[in-house]
Amino acid sequence: MASRIDELKGDPAFREAVHAVRGAASILSGRAVTHEEAELLVSFALAAYANAGGLSEPSLSRLARFSNKLPPEESFESLLKH
């Protein structure tokens, strides 16, 4: 039986978040961040978001609007500049 964290780590959205955080953290830190370090950062961020009410309304709706599929001309970086 898989643990809750193992189940989360198997989620495609979690894996994509780890990939993005690994790239961003590597650029910011100036060193290659490991996959495990990126998983830890994503886990902390998701746990803090959920514990702060992020999985209930109105936070859930805000997250859904923010994370809609991006049009081809936009990037995650451009979203953060708005």
Side-chain angles (χ1 to χ4, degrees), residues 23-43:
S26 294
I27 290 169
L28 291 173
S29 70
R31 69 170 187 84
V33 171
T34 68
H35 180 81
E36 291 76 16
E37 289 169 329
E39 280 185 343
L40 185 62
L41 291 171
V42 172
S43 297

Side-chain angles (χ1 to χ4, degrees), residues 3-63:
S3 70
R4 290 186 302 170
I5 190 68
D6 290 335
E7 188 176 333
L8 181 63
K9 287 179 181 180
D11 184 85
F14 181 87
R15 290 195 309 265
E16 186 63 29
V18 168
H19 178 73
V21 166
R22 186 175 185 197
S26 294
I27 290 169
L28 291 173
S29 70
R31 69 170 187 84
V33 171
T34 68
H35 180 81
E36 291 76 16
E37 289 169 329
E39 280 185 343
L40 185 62
L41 291 171
V42 172
S43 297
F44 285 163
L46 288 175
Y49 188 81
N51 285 332
L55 301 179
S56 59
E57 292 299 335
S59 294
L60 192 56
S61 291
R62 288 185 194 113
L63 179 61

